Amino acid sequence: MALLKVKFNQKKRVKLAQGLWLMNWFSVFAGILVFSMGLFLKIELRKRSEVMDNSESHLVPNSLILMGILSCAFNGFAGKICYDSLDPAKFAKWKPLLKPYLALCFVFNILVFFVALICFLMRGSLDSTLAQGLKNGMKFYRDTDTPGRCFMKKTIDMLQIEFKCCGNNGYKDWFEIQWISNRYLDFSSKEVKDRIKSNVDGRYLVDGVPFSCCNPSSPRPCIQYQVTNNSAHYSYDYQTEELNLWNRGCREALLSYYSGMMSSMGAVTLLVWLFEMSVMIGLRLLHTSLESIPNPEDPECESEGWVLENSLKDTFKSALENLKKLGKFNQVEAGAEGAEGEEGGKTPAITTVS
């Protein structure tokens, strides 16, 4: 029994073709939207590529860009087919291409669905990318005189100001690295010497943070040095001064920003996928309804259209059988080629009569 079997007359076929033509052009605009989303996300990721450890995060924007381009191509082509289907003479040239085209549409829709899922599932990979990238970026914060790293300080400062964050996981991350360049340290000072000697790696570590960690909403001037020393500041307790520095780490802030963006893009891509599926089903109904016209010379006669000629179960069984036959055919061909090789390798015996 055919799946989604529908009866059509000429009027219904014309309406279906016109509706599909319109839907395909809406799908072209949807493809442009998907392409634009991918391009926007790629630009946003490029802006902060210095604090990202690898290029895996670009899988999502690259996939969206590719799906957007393919969507415009597929739907533009389908719109042409639907337009020509109104004229039997023009439609005749498309008939041999429709089945392969519908198969490609099916594969394309599967890819769109997986791209939508990737948008939701990339959070874990993005988390590890940001964690390592921010850690490395903070290490290079002081290297303002090193070629290739001289802009890292500005990048980190702008990041912390824009996203209202501090450090990788929190402001205490700055206590574990030397973020002040040796160029700005007075090595004749006893305090500097003592701090360097007290550290195994010979680094100048302080319980201080860059100025960009300061919260402008704090009612008092920002305390960015001796943050954990209550006695160094009047009427100060670092455990209760929540407004002094940003408490949220930049990894969490960036992860929330990009995850929210990718989730929104994934939801839009799912809606596009549903629309593409409806267009593909409509195109299949149009194709079968035109092919099943009993008398091609009488375009006004009724016909039937369907999505699958048999039920899902029967179609699945048929597909499995075809795959098995294809496998056996390949085995037979390989065996035949081997036999021919053996026969060709034999040297015929020659008898000499004296």
Side-chain angles (χ1 to χ4, degrees):
M1 184 179 176
L3 182 68
L4 288 178
K5 198 172 186 179
V6 183
K7 283 190 176 182
F8 289 92
N9 53 29
Q10 187 189 21
K11 189 177 180 181
K12 285 184 178 180
R13 285 193 295 269
V14 169
K15 282 187 176 179
L16 178 61
Q18 290 174 339
L20 284 172
W21 178 82
L22 189 61
M23 288 176 72
N24 273 296
W25 286 110
F26 275 123
S27 294
V28 169
F29 290 116
I32 294 171
L33 174 63
V34 172
F35 175 84
S36 302
M37 289 192 306
L39 195 62
F40 174 75
L41 181 57
K42 194 169 184 69
I43 292 169
E44 285 295 302
L45 290 170
R46 286 279 185 190
K47 281 181 184 177
R48 298 168 186 95
S49 58
E50 295 93 345
V51 294
M52 292 187 176
D53 185 47
N54 54 47
S55 58
E56 286 180 14
S57 53
H58 287 273
L59 175 64
V60 173
N62 290 343
S63 300
L64 288 170
I65 289 169
L66 178 61
M67 289 302 106
I69 293 170
L70 289 176
S71 178
C72 292
F74 273 104
N75 289 293
F77 184 69
K80 175 64 175 171
I81 292 174
C82 294
Y83 183 79
D84 286 350
S85 66
L86 299 172
D87 185 350
K90 289 182 179 178
F91 182 71
K93 66 180 180 182
W94 298 116
K95 272 190 176 182
L97 298 174
L98 271 173
K99 278 189 178 179
Y101 173 74
L102 285 167
L104 285 174
C105 282
F106 182 71
V107 174
F108 167 71
N109 282 315
I110 290 173
L111 290 175
V112 172
F113 180 74
F114 276 111
V115 168
L117 285 183
I118 288 170
C119 290
F120 294 108
L121 299 175
M122 278 296 290
R123 183 183 174 90
S125 176
L126 188 61
D127 190 8
S128 59
T129 295
L130 286 169
Q132 191 59 42
L134 283 165
K135 187 178 179 181
N136 293 334
M138 289 170 64
K139 285 180 182 176
F140 302 143
Y141 182 88
R142 65 175 180 167
D143 298 338
T144 50
D145 299 324
T146 306
R149 299 176 186 170
C150 53
F151 295 108
M152 187 56 73
K153 179 185 180 298
K154 180 182 177 182
T155 300
I156 296 290
D157 283 333
M158 293 302 295
L159 178 69
Q160 293 187 146
I161 292 170
E162 182 181 352
F163 286 90
K164 299 179 180 179
C165 59
C166 185
N168 192 343
N169 298 306
Y171 68 88
K172 288 186 179 179
D173 292 337
W174 289 107
F175 300 173
E176 300 171 4
I177 61 170
Q178 181 181 338
W179 55 272
I180 301 173
S181 174
N182 289 338
R183 180 182 177 182
Y184 303 106
L185 294 176
D186 181 10
F187 286 95
S188 63
S189 167
K190 184 178 182 300
E191 182 190 350
V192 173
K193 288 179 180 179
D194 290 344
R195 282 191 177 274
I196 291 174
K197 285 179 182 178
S198 65
N199 188 270
V200 177
D201 299 327
R203 294 178 297 167
Y204 181 76
L205 303 181
V206 293
D207 58 341
V209 297
F211 78 96
S212 52
C213 283
C214 293
N215 183 351
S217 300
S218 175
R220 69 182 300 157
C222 180
I223 295 174
Q224 64 179 108
Y225 293 105
Q226 296 187 350
V227 174
T228 57
N229 186 359
N230 293 334
S231 60
H233 312 284
Y234 177 73
S235 184
Y236 175 74
D237 182 357
Y238 80 93
Q239 292 180 334
T240 59
E241 293 281 342
E242 294 181 0
L243 287 175
N244 183 49
L245 303 174
W246 300 118
N247 288 318
R248 186 167 69 156
C250 290
R251 179 184 60 81
E252 181 189 343
L254 283 172
L255 185 63
S256 175
Y257 174 70
Y258 284 120
S259 294
M261 191 184 296
M262 287 183 184
S263 296
S264 301
M265 290 179 179
V268 172
T269 308
L270 273 179
L271 290 174
V272 172
W273 172 74
L274 289 171
F275 196 72
E276 292 281 359
M277 285 294 292
S278 63
V279 171
M280 186 184 71
I281 290 169
L283 192 60
R284 174 62 176 166
L285 286 171
L286 179 64
H287 166 226
T288 50
S289 66
L290 288 168
E291 275 201 335
S292 63
I293 292 176
N295 184 11
E297 294 179 359
D298 182 16
E300 294 186 5
C301 64
E302 290 189 348
S303 63
E304 290 182 339
W306 57 82
V307 175
L308 292 176
E309 195 170 357
N310 301 310
S311 63
L312 276 173
K313 187 178 178 181
D314 292 338
T315 304
F316 184 68
K317 281 182 180 179
S318 177
L320 282 178
E321 285 174 5
N322 288 333
L323 286 173
K324 286 177 182 177
K325 286 178 183 177
L326 185 63
K328 287 178 182 178
F329 181 71
N330 289 335
Q331 287 176 4
V332 169
E333 278 193 339
E337 286 175 4
E340 285 176 8
E342 288 176 7
E343 288 176 6
K346 290 178 181 177
T347 305
I350 300 173
T351 307
T352 305
V353 180
S354 54

